[in-house]
Amino acid sequence: MKDLIIVGAGGFGRELLQWIKDINKVNKTWTIKGFIDDNSNALADLQCDYEVIGSIKKWEPNYNEVYACAIANPGIKENIVALLKSKGASFESIIHPKAIIGDHNRIGEGLIAYPNSCITANVVIGDFVTLLSSGIGHDAKVGDYSTISSYCDITGGVKIGKRVFLGSHVTIVPGRKIGDDAFLGAGSVVVTHIKEKTKVMGNPAKKILF
């Protein structure tokens, strides 16, 4: 059985720890070793079953270790994954038992799927996508390193680029395209295509500067 290390000891990391423990309750899959984080005090004054066992920058992977990525920011996620993979790290997909994964989907490496998340039919999911408790409709596509927060509605045929961040309660109407590195603020209702590197918010979603 492989040793599992969670990359990132923030709130996302502690949530991911719970989902890993839930998976182990159903089928003992990993031996959890703890977190790596460049902030050694990330868990200070917090109740947690495991500790920060080292920094990300200095960590040297062991042959029996696998990793789960708990970094929400898409750009930072990509950089950290690249760093660890350059040292030989291997990443796991963490799919909660209460996630729904339909047939005939293509799913990349390192998916994180929270409880009550849903990937329906003929969906393409890139590498290191983070899917909180949200649904992805038929024929949609989500690019590498994108993060979809909870209670989002990604409807049929939507195309989401690489390194896109969706805040909670985002709705994207069918067939819309979201460019690489876009940021969709919480509660946005997207009715048009969104260009790359654009930040939007509102109903209907409009470009914002911040």
Side-chain angles (χ1 to χ4, degrees), residues 71-78 145 147 165:
I71 306 296
N73 180 289
I76 295 174
K77 176 171 34 174
E78 182 178 34
Y145 300 101
T147 293
F165 183 88

Side-chain angles (χ1 to χ4, degrees), residues 28-127:
K28 184 66 175 177
T29 305
W30 306 285
T31 300
I32 304 168
K33 302 301 291 185
F35 302 87
I36 54 175
D37 196 297
D38 290 334
N39 177 10
S40 61
N41 296 316
L43 299 175
D45 302 321
L46 292 168
Q47 291 184 323
C48 189
D49 301 315
Y50 297 88
E51 299 178 347
V52 175
I53 59 175
S55 74
I56 297 170
K57 291 179 181 178
K58 296 180 180 179
W59 193 260
E60 295 295 331
N62 182 284
Y63 76 96
N64 196 51
E65 292 171 354
V66 290
Y67 298 82
C69 185
I71 306 296
N73 180 289
I76 295 174
K77 176 171 34 174
E78 182 178 34
N79 291 339
I80 287 175
V81 166
L83 172 65
L84 291 172
K85 285 176 73 71
S86 73
K87 298 180 180 183
S90 177
F91 284 82
E92 298 282 89
S93 289
I94 307 298
I95 300 174
H96 193 274
K98 291 187 178 179
I100 298 172
I101 310 293
D103 295 332
H104 311 300
N105 297 303
R106 290 166 45 197
I107 295 175
E109 179 184 6
L111 171 68
I112 304 298
Y114 270 41
N116 302 314
S117 60
C118 179
I119 300 173
T120 58
N122 302 107
V123 174
V124 178
I125 302 291
D127 295 333

Side-chain angles (χ1 to χ4, degrees), residues 6 8 22 26 28-29 40 43 55 59 61 73-74 81 85 115 121 141 143 147-148 152-153 164 166 171 173 175 209:
I6 299 171
D22 289 349
V26 175
K28 184 66 175 177
T29 305
S40 61
L43 299 175
S55 74
W59 193 260
N73 180 289
V81 166
K85 285 176 73 71
K141 182 176 181 180
T147 293
I148 299 171
C152 294
D153 186 12
V164 173
L166 274 64
T171 296
V173 303
L209 299 174

